[in-house]
Amino acid sequence: MTVTPATANDVDAIALRNLSKRFHEGRLPSFGHTDEGVLAVDDLSLDVREGQIFGLIGPNGAGKTTVLRMLLGLVHPTQGASYIFGEKMHPGSKVLRRVGTLVETPGFVPHMSGMENLKSFWLAGGDSWKDANIGPALEIAGLGTAIDRKVRTYSKGMQQRLALAQVLLNRPQLLVLDEPTVGLDPGEMRDVRDLIRRLGQEGSTIFLSSHILAELELVCTHAAVMAKGKLVASGTVEELIGGRQSVYVEVDDVERALRVLQATPGVIRAEPEPPGVAVALDGIARNEIVAALVHAGVGVETVSTRRRLEDAFLGMMEGEDA
Amino acid sequence: MTGAILVELRKQLFRLRTYLAIGAMIAIPVIITLSLEFGRQPRHPREQTFFVVATHSGLNVPLAALVATSTFLLVIVVALFAGAAISEESNWGSLRYLLVRPVSRSRLLATKLAVACALSFIAAVVIPVSGLIAGTFFFGWHEVLTPDFTVFSQSEALGRIALATLYVAWCMTGVIALAFMISTMTDTTLGSVAGSLGLVIISQVMNAIDSLGNNRTFLITHYWRAWEQLFQYPTETTDMVNGFLLQIPYVVVFLALAWWWFHRRDILT
């Protein structure tokens, strides 16, 4: 199934409207002490349009998971509401039939096999097993004969792959994934990234959270940054990064390179990191600084791009703390 | 709905814990039978009990087995089945996945409760069945002799054993509702099992304090042994009716609290 760009941007797959969540400690209020609780999510509004691969970024404790859980009806918002495909969400909403979900870690019944777990999950939703997208899901899991072993014997990576198979069982139009690559090795991480990209190309909307920014940068079209329960920024990944980027230049003379770079317009910052220099750029191309260095007689060994989203993100976080 | 119940039943039935719990309920009447067969009976017992008369007939053994299990061991098993219902899924991390399906929380609770009840019923029923089989093998198929020397024909006794078993099973509904309620509030199965057993024990302790008098008739455990009156002459059923009715308010209150709590709960596990 493919969605043409014209229709893709007309419909909100997800709309969060003024979502707030205050967690109480469960203590009884006593004289001089009221349980104000903790404001985990503070008046958050967000739109994810159909066809987007939307990343939710934020440090641990920013409220990402709480947002995802409110979206799915697991956590009751203190204020506000969330909508999926225009339908207001409540626990067990019918629209969940069109959503595939991975919330934090996988959760399976340890004394049943992988296959029995998938079947049990599916049938508990009131659907017929013959409607399940079992073939492609098992292909993604790639568990082979281990699918008939008890989940108790699975490694963390195997459980994560089974969870991804579970996500795909209902051919979801929207995937909500919380930290989908946690616990995977680098090869498995790449497989998951490829899977997310492929599903995005096939027209699924994907809303995922992660604190591994390089990973989000690789797969997402759009992103939002959260800090302390609030939305700090949102937009396309390119917009968030802006004109800024940072590069690492390996040179033969660090001192000289620093002097040259600091005198070059468009260079925000140049810091020595032997055997090279880390350079933050705004509005200047990489080849221009290489040219400037070579022109000044500095030998350039390699030039590599740093993780740009991470820089943008850290820049925003610094602004938050100030 | 029935599909979901069957899936849940399958999940709970075919697992080591259930085998052990049901197995224990089958084993205890067999152990009682063997002990009576090979142990030495006092020639002049101080008191006539269901155990003393148990060797009279195979049909006597289910009664001894019910006396031995219905107020404690069966309660533990039932508290385990009901107390694990929600807390265990919470502990596995699978609860959130059950709740992101397009299914209401009420339906999940109803499914879980139905399966806990079914397993508890099985646990209660296997006790007299096991006793009947083991007892008949060793002591034969004779008329039943009760502790007050009433004699019942085999068919009459069978009917009364069935009624007594249903009554014992029904008396567990209050415990089921209690353990189930705690199960919606905690993430540890041990917590809900221990919590419900704790309240049962408090009830049994208070029931033993004579100075409380008629106030004890409101205790959840007060009428648990009223089925024994089915095997007296003349048969008295007032206590059984009271015991039957007494479970209802407990069940209603505990389940209402469970529903209320589970619907307002934030699923954070």
Side-chain angles (χ1 to χ4, degrees):
Chain A
M1 189 188 82
T2 50
V3 179
T4 57
T7 55
N9 286 327
D10 289 334
V11 190
D12 267 342
I14 296 174
L16 307 180
R17 292 289 173 265
N18 306 102
L19 268 188
S20 295
K21 180 63 189 181
R22 188 179 288 279
F23 285 113
H24 294 276
E25 291 166 49
R27 260 188 303 180
L28 294 172
S30 56
F31 290 109
H33 174 83
T34 50
D35 180 12
E36 287 180 5
V38 181
L39 196 59
V41 177
D42 186 2
D43 197 31
L44 187 119
S45 296
L46 192 71
D47 290 280
V48 177
R49 301 205 181 274
E50 264 188 46
Q52 291 181 350
I53 302 182
F54 197 107
L56 191 60
I57 315 168
N60 288 333
K64 304 186 297 287
T65 296
T66 307
V67 169
L68 260 57
R69 284 179 183 246
M70 282 196 279
L71 172 66
L72 296 167
L74 290 173
V75 167
H76 301 287
T78 308
Q79 267 170 8
S82 49
Y83 302 81
I84 290 181
F85 297 122
E87 189 175 311
K88 189 173 176 183
M89 294 304 292
H90 56 83
S93 280
K94 286 283 162 273
V95 75
L96 286 168
R97 197 172 294 280
R98 298 158 67 184
V99 183
T101 312
L102 179 60
V103 188
E104 293 186 280
T105 50
F108 293 109
V109 180
H111 65 260
M112 298 201 303
S113 74
M115 194 66 169
E116 285 169 341
N117 263 287
L118 291 181
K119 203 166 175 176
S120 164
F121 167 81
W122 182 256
L123 296 175
D127 298 299
S128 162
W129 183 235
K130 67 179 191 298
D131 296 333
N133 186 26
I134 188 68
L138 287 183
E139 202 178 305
I140 293 304
L143 289 168
T145 53
I147 196 77
D148 292 320
R149 262 169 41 198
K150 286 184 177 174
V151 168
R152 186 182 287 134
T153 66
Y154 282 21
S155 70
K156 211 176 168 197
M158 289 164 82
Q159 290 198 28
Q160 190 77 3
R161 275 149 59 191
L162 186 63
L164 285 166
Q166 182 173 283
V167 167
L168 298 177
L169 277 181
N170 60 341
R171 299 178 185 82
Q173 289 162 281
L174 170 67
L175 287 93
V176 178
L177 309 173
D178 193 4
E179 305 276 357
T181 57
V182 151
L184 299 184
D185 65 36
E188 292 167 335
M189 277 188 185
R190 195 193 54 218
D191 290 346
V192 171
R193 280 201 301 271
D194 290 345
L195 171 67
I196 290 172
R197 268 201 222 99
R198 204 182 81 208
L199 290 167
Q201 281 160 9
E202 286 170 7
S204 299
T205 309
I206 298 160
F207 186 48
L208 74 161
S209 79
S210 178
H211 62 270
I212 306 171
L213 299 163
E215 182 181 293
L216 285 176
E217 189 176 341
L218 287 171
V219 296
C220 291
T221 59
H222 294 70
V225 182
M226 269 187 88
K228 294 173 190 159
K230 286 193 178 126
L231 196 66
V232 179
S234 75
T236 65
V237 169
E238 289 307 316
E239 277 166 11
L240 287 176
I241 294 167
R244 283 185 286 182
Q245 62 169 313
S246 51
V247 290
Y248 181 75
V249 192
E250 204 180 324
V251 292
D252 58 359
D253 186 345
V254 174
E255 289 296 311
R256 192 141 150 222
L258 273 177
R259 278 200 303 276
V260 173
L261 289 167
Q262 276 157 1
T264 309
V267 174
I268 306 170
R269 198 171 67 233
E271 281 162 7
E273 266 183 44
V277 187
V279 196
L281 307 176
D282 195 358
I284 181 172
R286 297 196 317 180
N287 58 355
E288 290 175 66
I289 62 159
V290 174
L293 286 170
V294 171
H295 187 73
V298 180
V300 176
E301 300 275 341
T302 60
V303 181
S304 51
T305 304
R306 279 288 174 88
R307 289 168 293 183
R308 300 169 300 158
L309 191 56
E310 187 158 315
D311 284 342
F313 172 71
L314 290 174
M316 287 175 210
M317 289 299 118
E318 280 164 19
E320 271 296 298
D321 291 338
Chain B
M1 185 75 199
T2 41
I5 290 176
L6 286 177
V7 169
E8 183 60 31
L9 191 61
R10 201 186 134 68
K11 185 196 292 180
Q12 299 299 342
L13 202 53
F14 300 109
R15 56 183 299 198
L16 187 61
R17 192 180 70 192
T18 305
Y19 299 154
L20 289 175
I22 303 285
M25 295 299 101
I26 293 171
I28 286 166
V30 176
I31 292 167
I32 291 172
T33 309
L34 293 175
S35 306
L36 291 172
E37 171 70 12
F38 298 108
R40 207 178 303 191
Q41 279 278 13
R43 199 171 291 269
H44 300 290
R46 279 183 296 127
E47 192 185 4
Q48 289 295 328
T49 67
F50 281 103
F51 287 94
V52 175
V53 295
T55 53
H56 189 80
S57 158
L59 284 153
N60 267 101
V61 176
L63 305 176
L66 281 176
V67 168
T69 54
S70 68
T71 58
F72 194 60
L73 281 166
L74 178 63
V75 186
I76 293 175
V77 167
V78 163
L80 183 65
F81 288 147
I86 302 291
S87 59
E88 191 171 45
E89 296 277 1
S90 199
N91 195 18
W92 287 332
S94 46
L95 182 61
R96 57 177 177 267
Y97 291 101
L98 289 173
L99 292 175
V100 295
R101 313 271 6 245
V103 167
S104 71
R105 292 190 183 184
S106 289
R107 193 174 126 162
L108 178 72
L109 284 179
T111 305
K112 286 280 182 188
L113 185 61
V115 170
C117 287
L119 291 177
S120 302
F121 185 72
I122 293 170
V125 168
V126 296
I127 297 167
V129 170
S130 165
L132 207 56
I133 293 168
T136 305
F137 184 79
F138 284 99
F139 309 133
W141 188 259
H142 309 295
E143 290 174 328
V144 163
L145 179 69
T146 71
D148 69 348
F149 301 111
T150 314
V151 174
F152 291 108
S153 71
Q154 288 93 328
S155 59
E156 175 73 15
L158 267 183
R160 289 182 183 231
I161 291 168
L163 190 58
T165 308
L166 288 177
Y167 178 79
V168 165
W170 175 257
C171 281
M172 293 299 114
T173 55
V175 179
I176 291 173
L178 174 60
F180 191 75
M181 177 190 77
I182 305 175
S183 178
T184 62
M185 300 173 175
T186 175
D187 300 337
T188 56
T189 302
L190 191 62
S192 44
V193 176
S196 48
L197 285 181
L199 284 172
V200 166
I201 289 166
I202 289 170
S203 169
Q204 284 178 336
V205 168
M206 286 173 73
N207 198 35
I209 300 171
D210 288 332
S211 59
L212 287 172
N214 279 340
N215 295 321
R216 294 177 298 177
T217 56
F218 299 104
L219 294 171
I220 194 169
T221 61
H222 184 72
Y223 293 108
W224 273 8
R225 296 184 68 166
W227 62 269
E228 291 174 19
Q229 294 173 2
L230 284 174
F231 300 91
Q232 287 170 1
Y233 184 83
T235 300
E236 176 59 59
T237 54
T238 319
D239 278 0
M240 277 181 75
V241 172
N242 287 340
F244 177 86
L245 295 175
L246 180 65
Q247 297 302 315
I248 295 170
Y250 280 110
V251 169
V252 168
V253 168
F254 290 144
L255 289 187
L257 283 171
W259 246 256
W260 173 76
W261 183 269
F262 195 63
H263 273 88
R264 66 187 289 276
R265 179 173 159 187
D266 289 328
I267 309 299
L268 301 171
T269 55

